[in-house]
């Protein structure tokens, strides 16, 4: 349990700590309970909750009688006190979401894409989508904390610049943080999509139990978001999580890296559809064919079932190998392609992870599905903005002192 400090210099830390506890208790918490959970004195806690109420972040929400003494006033989060925008730049479809302080999605849209657009036009399209989602939801701009942008790597975390993401050729070398910040007038955070997904998943884990975990993000590309001791692992340059070249099937398809059966190439939609004998589509949008693959498998079609079964085995091997490395024992599966295939894949993945002979896990690996769904990277990017308001990390307290 994280506890507070009664020193005046750490007021901001206490504020985020208390706000985070209130957020995780939708039924509300009394000051007495907050005091017990944080170790803060009644006086300090009273100051903290008054400041939060003054900023409109929490409200009093009725009283409860528990035992002798005065009834206790419950404090709850005011979800509509602040908002954040999340954008996911994805090879298939760019998504934008607006979330409230509870992390709930208030509005969702897709960003129309112009073919052959120049970088400034791309940024302007995102700016227009931000304007549109705020105006359609009727949200005043001063209540918006900022825009979180999730994108495939590699990117320059320090400069907020996409470098040369192979899956987003049009976005090469675009200074997203600077340019989108100037265009929208809002703070902008840029994060690798797999890390954003991990953050989104942790945000919705109200019990705060998802502290050591990995998130296998399965979209047009595949990557791994990692959390250790309750914090996302970004690596030195913000580009951690590249598992596309972990070999999962020595008899699998040839990879551009020179190996065979790397995870990325072995489970990418194009490979699965080719293995099932489908003709490639001209649009490059694999979604209709992936849905067809699932339907064919559900109806007992042998190639479709075999292809998806093998994909499940390949994913399971990657999870076992990475869990051997990280020793987290908790695996979340999500992302847009995963969401389409999950109904057929999940049983194979779960069974194969449990049975894999190379596993060195000393307790069972828990495999579960994302709570957030297909938009997890966009929602996670928005949660990164909320995180600034909530996440009470002791490291931040050290800086405050
Ligand atoms: Zn490879």
């Amino acid at each position: 349990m994280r506890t507070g400090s009664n020193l005046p210099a750490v007021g901001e830390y206490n504020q985020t700590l208390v706000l985070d506890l209130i957020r995780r208790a939708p039924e509300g918490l009394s000051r007495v309970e907050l005091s017990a959970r944080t170790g803060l004195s009644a006086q300090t806690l009273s100051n903290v909750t008054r400041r939060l109420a003054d900023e409109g972040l929490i409200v009093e929400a009725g009283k409860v009688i528990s035992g002798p003494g005065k009834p206790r006033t419950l404090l709850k989060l005011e979800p509509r006190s602040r908002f954040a925008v999340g954008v996911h730049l994805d090879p298939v479809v760019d998504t934008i979401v607006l979330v409230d302080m509870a992390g709930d999605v208030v509005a969702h849209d897709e960003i129309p894409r112009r073919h052959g657009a120049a970088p400034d036009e791309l940024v302007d399209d995102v700016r227009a989508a931000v304007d549109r989602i705020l105006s359609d939801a009727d949200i005043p701009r001063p209540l918006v904390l900022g825009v979180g942008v999730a994108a495939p790597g590699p990117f320059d975390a320090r400069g907020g610049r996409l470098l040369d993401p192979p899956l987003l050729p049009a976005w090469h070398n675009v200074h997203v943080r600077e340019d989108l910040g100037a265009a929208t007038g809002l703070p902008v955070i840029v994060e690798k999509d797999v890390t954003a997904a991990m953050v989104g998943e942790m945000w919705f884990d109200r019990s705060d139990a998802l502290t050591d975990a990995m998130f296998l993000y399965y979209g047009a590309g595949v990557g791994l978001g990692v959390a250790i001791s309750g914090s996302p692992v970004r690596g030195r340059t913000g580009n951690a999580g590249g598992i596309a070249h972990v070999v999962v099937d020595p008899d699998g398809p040839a990879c551009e890296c020179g190996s065979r059966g790397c995870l990325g190439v072995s489970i990418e939609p194009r490979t699965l559809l080719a293995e099932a004998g489908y003709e490639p589509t001209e649009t490059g949008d694999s979604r209709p064919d992936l849905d067809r693959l699932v339907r064919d498998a559900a109806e007992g079609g042998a190639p479709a079932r075999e292809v998806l079964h093998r994909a499940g085995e390949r994913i399971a091997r990657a999870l076992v190998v990475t869990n051997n490395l990280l020793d987290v024992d908790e695996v979340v599966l999500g992302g847009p392609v995963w969401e389409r295939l999950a109904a057929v894949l999940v049983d194979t993945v779960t069974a194969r992870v449990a049975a894999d002979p190379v596993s060195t896990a000393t307790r069972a690996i828990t495999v579960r599905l994302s709570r957030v769904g297909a938009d997890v990277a966009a929602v996670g990017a928005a949660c990164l903005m909320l995180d600034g308001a909530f996440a009470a990390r002791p490291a931040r307290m050290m800086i405050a002192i």
Side-chain angles (χ1 to χ4, degrees), residues 244-246 255-259 262 265:
H245 298 284
V246 170
C255 178
E256 61 184 15
C257 74
S259 294
C262 296
V265 70

Side-chain angles (χ1 to χ4, degrees), residues 87 89 94 96 111 121-131 147 149 171 180 184:
V87 172
L89 304 177
D94 295 333
I96 183 165
I111 305 175
E121 293 173 314
L122 292 167
V123 169
D124 198 54
D125 288 347
V126 178
R127 193 265 321 146
V130 172
D131 287 349
V147 183
V149 178
W171 284 90
L180 188 60
T184 59

Side-chain angles (χ1 to χ4, degrees), residues 85-88 147-150 189 196-197 200 376-386:
V85 178
V87 172
H88 181 205
V147 183
V149 178
I189 292 178
V376 63
V379 173
C383 290
L384 280 162
M385 271 292 163
L386 303 181

Side-chain angles (χ1 to χ4, degrees), residues 135-157:
S135 105
D136 288 354
D138 202 16
I139 304 300
R141 209 165 265 254
L143 295 187
V144 180
L145 294 168
V147 183
V149 178
F155 80 109
D156 159 27

